[in-house]
């Protein structure tokens, strides 16, 4: 619900949206990117910062895409606890 509000009102309140992105999604992406820079997607493979950032963002998008867009579109879309664990 909070994300739905942020998306719908983000253009009116860009600072609010920027704070949300910086404190949530960007922190997660940065942590994944740092992990990939340190360890690589395959042991021994070194990535450029650009590649690590791209892979971190892609991983986050992949996790989100399956359910987030459905939940944004339909307020009645709800996952069971079992579905959440499986995802």
């Amino acid at each position: 619900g909070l994300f739905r509000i942020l998306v719908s009102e983000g253009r009116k309140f860009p600072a609010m949206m920027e704070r949300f992105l910086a404190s949530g999604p960007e922190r997660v992406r940065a942590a994944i990117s740092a992990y990939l820079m340190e360890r690589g997607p395959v042991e021994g493979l070194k990535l450029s910062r650009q590649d690590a950032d791209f892979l971190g963002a892609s991983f986050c998008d992949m996790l989100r895409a399956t359910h987030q867009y459905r939940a944004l579109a339909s307020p009645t879309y709800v996952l069971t606890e079992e579905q959440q664990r499986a995802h």
Side-chain angles (χ1 to χ4, degrees):
L2 174 62
F3 189 70
R4 192 179 294 116
I5 291 168
L6 286 167
V7 168
S8 68
E9 299 298 322
R11 290 184 187 254
K12 291 181 196 173
F13 304 99
M16 178 184 66
M17 179 58 98
E18 286 301 318
R19 277 196 310 269
F20 165 76
L21 292 173
S23 66
E26 284 303 313
R27 285 181 66 190
V28 172
R29 187 215 42 82
I32 293 169
S33 176
Y35 175 88
L36 292 172
M37 284 292 296
E38 182 180 315
R39 300 192 181 183
V42 176
E43 192 171 333
L45 177 66
K46 293 294 182 187
L47 294 175
S48 68
R49 168 61 61 195
Q50 183 178 6
D51 287 343
D53 287 346
F54 175 77
L55 290 173
S58 296
F59 181 74
C60 290
D61 291 343
M62 181 179 63
L63 290 177
R64 239 189 334 258
T66 303
H67 300 290
Q68 185 178 26
Y69 298 118
R70 288 184 182 112
L72 285 171
S74 172
T76 60
Y77 184 82
V78 178
L79 294 174
T80 65
E81 283 189 35
E82 183 179 327
Q83 289 171 314
Q84 288 177 31
R85 278 192 301 277
H87 181 69

